[in-house]
Amino acid sequence: MARKKMIALLKKGTCIGLAAIILSAAALPSAALSVHAEDATTSVSSENTTPDSEGVTTPTPENTDTDTETDTAESLPADTEASGETTPGSSGSAAINDQNATSKASSSVRAQEIYPTEISLLKKNLELTAGDKAVLKVNGYSGNATNKEVTWSSSDPSVASVDPNTGEVTAVGEGTAVITATCVGKNEGQAAPASDSCTVKVLGISDVYKYTTSGNSVTITDYLGTGGDIVIPSTIAGKPVTALGPMSFWVDDNITSVVIPEGVTTIGKQAFNGDDNLAKITLPSTLKTIGQRAFYGTAITEITIPEGVTTLSNEAFNSCDQLSKVTLPSTLVSIGANAFSRCTSLKELTLPDNITSVGTNAFKSVGKLWVKNGSKTEAALDRAGIEYLSQVTVTVTTEFYNRDGSLSDVKGGTSTYIRKEGASFNVSTAIYNRGWILESETVTGMEDTNPNLYKAEGIIGKEDVTVKYVWREDNIGPEGTSDKIPDQYQIQVSYDVENGTWNDGTSETIGQVLTLTDENGTPTDKGTVKVEAPEVGNAPADGYTAGSWSPDLKDTFTIADDGAQFVYSYAEKTEDPGTTDPEKPGTTPPGAGTNTGNQNPAPFSTPTSTKAASKKSGSVKTSDTSNAALAAGLLLLSGSAIAGIEMKKRKKAEEN
């Protein structure tokens, strides 16, 4: 009550009350006064503090208006006795001591710091190149913190260092480091000071590539080159390149082609997105995944995705409007949404059998979509509501027959093929025996067949296919050897010379084996062949001059000319009194052939086959043997005449 009355007196401003307070203050011990003075300057409630931008707490003073009651004013006593008892009109020493104790307790509580229970960094990942700098900042605090001060540290200063006070990061060398911000203190009951981290990747630079390493592998993160035809290196800094990172070659109109090396398993998100002039890409056999929009909007015209790739992510080839040919691997199990959307040049696409997941509009704008009947892919397309065409399973049976039409001991076989109904199809064999050859004879189950040497070609329907092959004779060829062309498509012709020699000085019979072909060069007995005859006209025997061919020489033969024989005979010279200039040697007489080549065909060697032998029969020259017989007869006649004359002479001598 005394204290309240004192305050009331102060408010009323009575001179008596003011004088009493002054006198009472003067009577207080000096020690008690100093204590209250200290309390007055230090006892600030923690509820009235305001943290500044750096986390330093600044006290907020209470209202100091003279009309506001304060602890200091209340604690000032009106009068005090040495005994410590109070006198009328004073609060007494007991009140002073109580107030002093309360003030000290309040000062201890109000000075305690409050730290954040959690903090959050503005960036959790940072990518730098050696020499780069960046400042990290705390973005959020949890709790009614009065002290938000943090210190910064790096897990690997050789990769990235950090200023412990400011959070400024300096990229030092290629690799990965973790930068951590940690509060300078913790609250009572808190296990550890609050902290948060940022992962800093420091990129290396090799030639025109930025990269990061992880263990023993390299990921290319950026391309710094000028474009053109790029061959990505298989190793960087002595380590294999295994991945192309997201956007690593992104929006580079100068790139025209790319070869990705073996060892790369991943092409990251948007790796080549927007490379408008990228027309050719070569993928490695080690590839497993093609990321989202990896080739979006490129100018590629065809792509072969290697075996081993399991995933084509969303929009992987979206808007590749020049893409016309795609080969997909049997290992593919997932095709993302819009993977081939707006590929307007892709008229048809054959899907492998094991696809289990197909995204929305994966093949929008693609023409025909071929799928094997009963496959996993067919079921996946059905679930996605995508239209498709079925492939058919065709069994091809091969049979071999002899020339006489009987079934050969050589066994054929049966094979199963998956083909598009109505697609072009061919069956071939490599079976060949010395002296004989196989030729496609008949084909069933195929339309528009084109029987040809070694293979059968046609259009596949839904029926199974049977191909019949016939063994054909192959015993003739150059110099009597087999040449893997059935004899029925070949003819033999021969050339002889009389009363002289060929231009090379020889006089042997020259034989040729000629193959008849159609206008496309395919062997056929309905075809033709152009030939050149041996050169003659420069080597007549004595007493002979220019001659002629019998029969008249041809330069184009057909099957009807098989076995034809042509003889060039030099004509006997006749005396012409009016001729003063004898025939000059080296001239080619009229009708001496059409060949203009420098080499004669190889001499013909009689084949051992019945057909060849028949062709050679009747080709024996008679002119030489007839002349020899005539000479021998004349010699015998001359000898007989001489002997008769000698006998007459002897008889006449005896008579005399």
Side-chain angles (χ1 to χ4, degrees):
M1 292 295 292
R3 295 172 61 185
K4 291 182 178 180
K5 289 179 179 180
M6 187 179 295
I7 294 169
L9 290 173
L10 287 170
K11 290 182 177 182
K12 291 177 180 181
T14 61
C15 294
I16 297 174
L18 181 60
I21 292 171
I22 294 171
L23 291 173
S24 298
L28 290 174
S30 59
L33 183 61
S34 65
V35 169
H36 282 278
E38 183 181 358
D39 289 345
T41 59
T42 60
S43 298
V44 181
S45 173
S46 62
E47 296 177 357
N48 296 317
T49 62
T50 304
D52 61 16
S53 60
E54 299 297 324
V56 179
T57 301
T58 304
T60 302
E62 297 180 358
N63 191 344
T64 56
D65 193 346
T66 55
D67 289 338
T68 304
E69 77 179 65
T70 66
D71 288 345
T72 302
E74 291 184 28
S75 65
L76 295 176
D79 192 14
T80 303
E81 296 184 358
S83 62
E85 297 179 0
T86 61
T87 58
S90 71
S91 61
S93 62
I96 293 173
N97 292 336
D98 289 344
Q99 180 63 31
N100 191 27
T102 301
S103 186
K104 288 183 178 179
S106 177
S107 177
S108 176
V109 172
R110 292 168 184 170
Q112 184 177 353
E113 298 280 8
I114 300 175
Y115 300 99
T117 57
E118 292 182 2
I119 62 174
S120 175
L121 297 186
L122 183 63
K123 291 185 177 181
K124 297 299 180 69
N125 293 279
L126 190 62
E127 195 171 272
L128 302 173
T129 303
D132 290 347
K133 293 181 180 292
V135 177
L136 296 177
K137 294 183 178 181
V138 179
N139 188 46
Y141 304 83
S142 297
N144 297 320
T146 61
N147 190 336
K148 299 179 180 179
E149 184 180 357
V150 299
T151 59
W152 300 87
S153 62
S154 172
S155 65
D156 191 346
S158 67
V159 174
S161 62
V162 63
D163 187 300
N165 299 315
T166 65
E168 183 181 62
V169 178
T170 300
V172 179
E174 190 275 325
T176 301
V178 178
I179 305 299
T180 303
T182 306
C183 292
V184 297
K186 63 178 181 176
N187 301 311
E188 185 177 356
Q190 190 173 336
S195 65
D196 196 17
S197 299
C198 173
T199 299
V200 178
K201 287 186 177 181
V202 179
L203 307 179
I205 298 180
S206 175
D207 191 19
V208 294
Y209 301 98
K210 289 185 178 181
Y211 67 94
T212 61
T213 60
S214 179
N216 193 42
S217 63
V218 169
T219 297
I220 292 176
T221 61
D222 196 12
Y223 171 67
L224 308 175
T226 57
D229 298 331
I230 298 173
V231 179
I232 298 173
S234 59
T235 61
I236 293 179
K239 297 180 179 180
V241 177
T242 60
L244 305 183
M247 303 175 70
S248 49
F249 296 82
W250 181 69
V251 191
D252 192 330
D253 293 340
N254 295 322
I255 298 176
T256 54
S257 71
V258 175
V259 177
I260 301 176
E262 292 294 318
V264 171
T265 61
T266 302
I267 298 176
K269 180 179 179 181
Q270 300 191 74
F272 298 93
N273 184 0
D275 292 355
D276 294 341
N277 293 312
L278 176 57
K280 184 178 181 181
I281 185 82
T282 302
L283 304 177
S285 63
T286 52
L287 191 63
K288 302 298 181 189
T289 300
I290 298 177
Q292 182 177 346
R293 288 195 169 198
F295 299 101
Y296 185 103
T298 60
I300 57 175
T301 58
E302 62 180 79
I303 189 76
T304 297
I305 300 173
E307 293 292 325
V309 173
T310 59
T311 302
L312 296 181
S313 299
N314 295 351
E315 301 184 87
F317 296 94
N318 192 350
S319 298
C320 295
D321 55 11
Q322 298 183 53
L323 183 60
S324 61
K325 183 179 180 181
V326 176
T327 302
L328 300 176
S330 62
T331 53
L332 191 63
V333 297
S334 177
I335 298 179
N338 295 294
F340 293 97
S341 180
R342 293 188 285 183
C343 294
T344 53
S345 297
L346 189 56
K347 303 305 181 181
E348 64 176 4
L349 179 62
T350 300
L351 300 182
D353 300 340
N354 297 310
I355 298 173
T356 57
S357 176
V358 180
T360 304
N361 293 326
F363 309 103
K364 186 178 181 180
S365 302
V366 175
K368 297 178 181 178
L369 202 62
W370 294 99
V371 183
K372 182 181 177 181
N373 285 335
S375 64
K376 294 179 181 179
T377 304
E378 185 179 52
L381 293 177
D382 287 338
R383 290 192 299 270
I386 297 175
E387 296 183 356
Y388 58 89
L389 298 172
S390 295
Q391 293 176 316
V392 295
T393 301
V394 178
T395 300
V396 178
T397 302
T398 303
E399 298 176 344
F400 301 129
Y401 290 82
N402 299 316
R403 290 178 295 166
D404 60 3
S406 60
L407 187 64
S408 174
D409 292 335
V410 177
K411 303 299 182 183
T414 300
S415 301
T416 300
Y417 301 87
I418 307 299
R419 293 291 186 270
K420 306 168 189 175
E421 183 179 350
S424 178
F425 180 70
N426 70 75
V427 182
S428 61
T429 181
I431 296 178
Y432 176 79
N433 286 355
R434 173 66 176 86
W436 301 89
I437 195 168
L438 288 172
E439 183 186 11
S440 172
E441 183 72 9
T442 59
V443 181
T444 59
M446 296 172 64
E447 300 176 359
D448 302 326
T449 58
N450 179 31
N452 200 358
L453 192 62
Y454 298 112
K455 63 183 178 181
E457 298 178 342
I459 306 299
I460 286 291
K462 294 182 179 180
E463 302 179 20
D464 290 342
V465 175
T466 300
V467 182
K468 294 183 178 181
Y469 287 97
V470 179
W471 292 99
R472 300 294 189 189
E473 185 178 2
D474 179 27
N475 284 308
I476 63 171
E479 300 183 359
T481 62
S482 61
D483 55 6
K484 296 189 177 181
I485 300 176
D487 292 350
Q488 72 181 91
Y489 300 144
Q490 296 179 311
I491 63 173
Q492 293 177 248
V493 297
S494 62
Y495 307 91
D496 283 308
V497 62
E498 291 181 343
N499 304 321
T501 64
W502 304 116
N503 284 356
D504 61 2
T506 64
S507 60
E508 296 180 359
T509 298
I510 295 175
Q512 290 181 324
V513 176
L514 307 172
T515 300
L516 305 173
T517 63
D518 61 17
E519 59 185 6
N520 298 318
T522 302
T524 173
D525 56 10
K526 303 295 191 296
T528 60
V529 59
K530 289 185 176 295
V531 299
E532 293 182 349
E535 290 186 352
V536 293
N538 295 331
D542 291 340
Y544 292 86
T545 185
S548 61
W549 287 97
S550 179
D552 292 340
L553 194 63
K554 302 169 63 175
D555 63 358
T556 301
F557 294 154
T558 67
I559 192 70
D561 298 305
D562 190 21
Q565 295 176 308
F566 299 89
V567 179
Y568 184 82
S569 298
Y570 289 95
E572 188 176 0
K573 284 185 178 180
T574 58
E575 293 294 336
D576 185 357
T579 301
T580 58
D581 186 14
E583 182 183 351
K584 298 179 180 179
T587 60
T588 302
T594 60
N595 188 2
T596 59
N598 295 322
Q599 296 182 350
N600 292 330
F604 175 74
S605 179
T606 304
T608 57
S609 69
T610 302
K611 179 178 181 180
S614 66
K615 292 180 178 180
K616 187 63 178 177
S617 65
S619 64
V620 179
K621 295 188 291 185
T622 60
S623 57
D624 292 340
T625 55
S626 298
N627 291 337
L630 178 60
L634 292 173
L635 183 60
L636 290 173
L637 289 172
S638 298
S640 298
I642 292 171
I645 293 171
E646 290 296 327
M647 289 181 65
K648 287 180 179 181
K649 286 181 178 180
R650 287 193 194 102
K651 187 176 182 181
K652 188 175 181 178
E654 289 175 358
E655 291 176 349
N656 293 330

